[in-house]
Amino acid sequence: MSSVATVPFAHGLQDINIGDWAEEETVLFSADHIHRETENTAIMAEGNVKAFFGAQHLSADRVTYNPNTDIVTAAGNVTIFDENGQVYFADDVELTGDLKDGVASNFTALLSQNSRLVSATTVRRSSGENDLNKAAYTACSVCKDSGEKKQPTWQVKARKITQDTEDQTIRFRDATVEVLGVPVVYTPYLQFPDPSVKRKSGFLIPSVAASSRLGVEAQIPYYWAISDYQDITFSPRVFTELGTLIKGEYRVNRHDAGAVLQAGFINPNDSDIAGDTAPDSLRWHFFSSGYKDLDNDWRAEYDVDIVSDKSYLRAYDVEPEGDLREAIDILQPDRLESELSFVRRRENSYTDISTVFFQSLRTREDNDFMADALPRFRHEKRYDAPWVDGEMTLQNDVLVLHRPRGLDTMRASTALNYDVMHTTKTGHRLKGFAELRGDVYRYTDADQGIQACNVNDRDYETCRLLLPRDASQEEYTTARLLPTIGVEWAYPLAKLTNSATYILEPRVQLVASPTQDYTDDVFNEDSQFFQFDEGTLFDWSKGTGLDQWEDGQRMNIGLSGTAVYTNGVTISGMIGQQYRHEETTAFDPDTGLGETTSDFVGNLDVNIGNALAVDNRFRFDDSDGTLRRAESTLRSTVGPVSAYLSYLRLETQELEALGRRDEFLTTALSYQFNQRWSLGTSWRENLESGTTTSQNLSLRYRDDCTLFSLTYRFDNTRGDNFDLNRSLTFNIDLIGF
């Protein structure tokens, strides 16, 4: 049975009662055996000894405490838990009674993220500093799963290491970085934050790369933690051939606002670098997004992407990073958009007042013909309509498009929508909808045309014949009233067996609108990239914006089905088509719409557990079965091998490239050699031109304390005097630094 003794610090036992002890700081001992010869001699505890002082805790095989000197001596499996939650180990220690000052031998400090400090001897000070002599630091595991010792992947050995718990910093003197036991770097002084610190100013791990286009480059980031809610990362890229790209990132995150800003500039010292600016011109980029909560449920939001010239991003291989990184649209990777908006979202309404600016990076396009929204106003209000058992929505849209040169547009639109849904007792799902919309357009400088007709090698006189009113009028006003009504029927059917569940759903939609061709009066500026597929088949008005309007009487029909098997296999698909009473010119012929019968659209997806997933989207010509659009992806993981395959084929709808086909094939393959090493590769082919656009090969290593990658990249993006580029990039991240 354990014995317990309570002893006040810096006092003898004589003449002090328990009531007095409550006013003093005390040590509480617990051990198998506690004995003391006289009131003036030391207290000796043996066997599972535990000593407590406030939030601190010491355990050892043997502990001696002398109240006269206020010294605690511990030996054998000594463990100390301090008030900050850190754990220290030693063979033997000698400490003051409050456990804050002392000396330890064979010392180990266990830090956060599994990091540890070890030393032959350690001096512990009440100031919060631990001085470790002949010491080492690592965040790597030093033991195998079996418990045997092992060589850490990396460690830092030093003549002296100071752990400053108050400043949360670890400082090294005469330090050597070892990788797998081999010394690789020496430095007389090194300092970095304690691993428990989430944010601390200091240098980050650098990266090194070399490419045929940019030469050798190095990036050495410095992180500045300004406060708890804002920071700056300064990360210049030094090129051996081109100069230095000064760049950085600023972030702020408050309870009612936040922003991320990334910017950079360079004054290149190589006049041969591709570009559309003078060789000595300053080149730069600015990417930023943010928000601010305002009163009455309003929020201000902005997203800005702008560069100095069209070839800057490609010349220096620059793109938004981190929080600003966006998925690249393979069809439009070279137009930047900036937007400032004031938005209010409420339970039954939405309001958006915004301005939008565009910057084209395409060589042949003139930014004076890019349209900017100055401004756009959208408001939507939903109303319950219990007297007709449905929901009504009032929508208002006002848009002003301005071009420095070319067409200017003012548009005002108001629409009243009605929707009602009903499911019968036998499972038939019925839907009714109606819309009454009115649009008014005012055009000026219409004879100057739009971007598509003003590219460098475009014959404007030929192109203008494709524009409303043959672009023969300088300015005009037009209006239209657009009523639509429709109904939809669907009937989901399900069958359950011991091995599978089957679901089959036929769906029919009937829509009626006046047969009226507005394409010769209205410029289509917000629906230019519409795709007819299974996702838009049952959109009763298929334009992606307001300019394109689907007229006439039509029927959209489709059949979807899903089979889910108990062995993990799932098969789902859909096929559908549109039938029209009369043809319409509302859609470009390349979309597969407009004739009395549309192309067939659909999808077919197959999943086999986690091993294989195949997704297919397709559009077939209704007359001869020609494949007009295909989008297929395959993902598979079998053992250590993971594979990805993507195929995309579609007809180009842009006015300056009608009749051209876009066709791409992307593949990726990775092999996991073991828990630490993996090899990955990717390849992208432009099948239309028969060229390889990019290749990547990456070797990666990862363990409990190290991330390492060596990446080779081939970029065959040409144009603007760009040559193909081959690069080799080395990145390493030592966890715990």
Side-chain angles (χ1 to χ4, degrees), residues 276 308-313 360-363 365-367:
D276 50 355
S308 60
D309 56 88
K310 293 182 177 182
S311 59
Y312 170 84
L313 297 181
S360 173
L361 306 184
R362 298 182 176 186
T363 306
E365 291 186 345
D366 186 345
N367 275 301

Side-chain angles (χ1 to χ4, degrees), residues 176-247:
T176 301
V177 179
E178 292 186 357
V179 177
L180 297 176
V182 178
V184 294
V185 177
Y186 168 80
T187 177
Y189 182 80
L190 178 66
Q191 173 180 307
F192 57 82
D194 186 286
S196 63
V197 178
K198 294 183 178 180
R199 305 171 73 252
K200 187 77 171 181
S201 300
F203 284 99
L204 306 179
I205 299 295
S207 62
V208 180
S211 72
S212 58
R213 183 183 294 169
L214 301 176
V216 178
E217 67 168 284
Q219 184 168 268
I220 309 173
Y222 181 83
Y223 177 77
W224 178 21
I226 303 175
S227 66
D228 291 340
Y229 56 86
Q230 58 182 332
D231 56 42
I232 290 177
T233 302
F234 178 65
S235 50
R237 290 173 62 188
V238 181
F239 302 99
T240 56
E241 303 293 333
L242 308 178
T244 301
L245 175 62
I246 306 298
K247 70 183 187 72

Side-chain angles (χ1 to χ4, degrees), residues 373-446:
L374 301 171
R376 178 172 184 173
F377 169 79
R378 291 176 291 180
H379 176 73
E380 180 178 303
K381 176 71 174 179
R382 294 182 299 276
Y383 303 90
D384 290 331
W387 62 92
V388 287
D389 194 26
E391 183 179 86
M392 300 186 70
T393 304
L394 179 64
Q395 297 174 322
N396 295 285
D397 188 292
V398 177
L399 174 66
V400 177
L401 291 178
H402 171 72
R403 292 175 172 87
R405 297 172 59 196
L407 173 72
D408 290 336
T409 302
M410 296 179 62
R411 182 189 71 197
S413 178
T414 298
L416 182 63
N417 292 274
Y418 169 72
D419 286 283
V420 63
M421 179 80 72
H422 176 69
T423 302
T424 68
K425 294 181 180 180
T426 55
H428 295 270
R429 189 174 68 243
L430 304 175
K431 178 182 179 180
F433 53 88
E435 179 183 80
L436 180 61
R437 191 178 103 202
D439 300 334
V440 178
Y441 289 84
R442 173 64 180 172
Y443 295 114
T444 57
D445 295 328

Side-chain angles (χ1 to χ4, degrees), residues 9-35:
F9 280 101
H11 294 282
L13 288 178
Q14 60 274 18
D15 302 327
I16 297 181
N17 58 41
I18 293 178
D20 296 323
W21 294 354
E23 303 296 327
E24 304 286 342
E25 295 178 318
T26 62
V27 171
L28 177 65
F29 281 100
S30 173
D32 292 341
H33 303 285
I34 299 177
H35 61 277

Side-chain angles (χ1 to χ4, degrees), residues 453-723:
C453 290
N454 288 279
V455 296
N456 295 344
D457 57 356
R458 187 78 181 183
D459 184 350
Y460 176 71
E461 293 303 322
T462 301
C463 180
R464 69 185 296 173
L465 298 178
L466 303 174
L467 300 178
R469 302 192 180 184
D470 300 333
S472 58
Q473 293 183 241
E474 179 180 352
E475 59 181 73
Y476 65 92
T477 301
T478 185
R480 57 185 184 178
L481 185 64
L482 311 174
T484 300
I485 190 170
V487 294
E488 183 178 311
W489 166 85
Y491 189 35
L493 302 170
K495 180 179 180 180
L496 279 67
T497 68
N498 293 332
S499 59
T501 299
Y502 302 96
I503 301 175
L504 191 67
E505 183 181 42
R507 187 176 175 186
V508 178
Q509 185 183 77
L510 300 175
V511 188
S513 303
T515 301
Q516 181 66 52
D517 183 2
Y518 293 102
T519 57
D520 196 43
D521 291 319
V522 175
F523 284 82
N524 179 14
E525 300 193 86
D526 63 3
S527 305
Q528 295 183 11
F529 303 104
F530 163 76
Q531 290 293 339
F532 176 47
D533 55 24
E534 85 287 352
T536 58
L537 173 62
F538 288 98
D539 290 344
W540 53 267
S541 182
K542 294 179 173 54
T544 55
L546 297 180
D547 293 339
Q548 187 175 52
W549 184 66
E550 187 175 6
D551 66 329
Q553 293 76 53
R554 62 267 189 196
M555 177 173 63
N556 303 312
I557 65 171
L559 179 66
S560 62
T562 301
V564 181
Y565 296 92
T566 55
N567 60 4
V569 176
T570 301
I571 303 174
S572 61
M574 192 272 278
I575 189 168
Q577 190 178 25
Q578 182 184 87
Y579 294 89
R580 300 186 57 83
H581 181 260
E582 294 180 276
E583 294 185 358
T584 179
T585 58
F587 302 97
D588 190 279
D590 283 340
T591 63
L593 281 171
E595 298 180 354
T596 54
T597 56
S598 74
D599 288 349
F600 291 96
V601 294
N603 71 290
L604 179 62
D605 304 334
V606 179
N607 288 271
I608 305 176
N610 296 322
L612 179 67
V614 181
D615 300 331
N616 299 283
R617 305 289 182 271
F618 55 81
R619 176 164 65 87
F620 289 102
D621 191 290
D622 64 305
S623 59
D624 57 14
T626 303
L627 183 64
R628 296 299 184 187
R629 176 183 171 87
E631 184 177 356
S632 301
T633 59
L634 180 149
R635 300 176 181 86
S636 178
T637 300
V638 180
V641 180
S642 296
Y644 171 84
L645 178 67
S646 173
Y647 172 77
L648 175 64
R649 171 181 170 177
L650 71 160
E651 307 293 334
T652 300
Q653 296 178 38
E654 294 183 70
L655 189 59
E656 67 267 29
L658 290 178
R660 193 188 74 192
R661 177 190 298 166
D662 288 312
E663 193 171 14
F664 300 93
L665 180 68
T666 303
T667 62
L669 185 70
S670 67
Y671 184 82
Q672 192 79 31
F673 294 100
N674 51 42
Q675 292 183 343
R676 298 182 177 180
W677 288 96
S678 65
L679 182 67
T681 182
S682 64
W683 168 53
R684 189 174 189 191
E685 182 83 5
N686 186 330
L687 300 178
E688 176 64 18
S689 62
T691 59
T692 300
T693 59
S694 66
Q695 291 176 333
N696 290 276
L697 181 65
S698 181
L699 179 66
R700 298 181 180 88
Y701 173 87
R702 180 187 183 106
D703 61 19
D704 59 318
C705 62
T706 308
L707 297 174
F708 158 87
S709 67
L710 184 64
T711 302
Y712 165 79
R713 179 185 174 192
F714 168 74
D715 181 4
N716 194 23
T717 304
R718 296 178 181 268
D720 299 336
N721 299 319
F722 282 102
D723 295 324

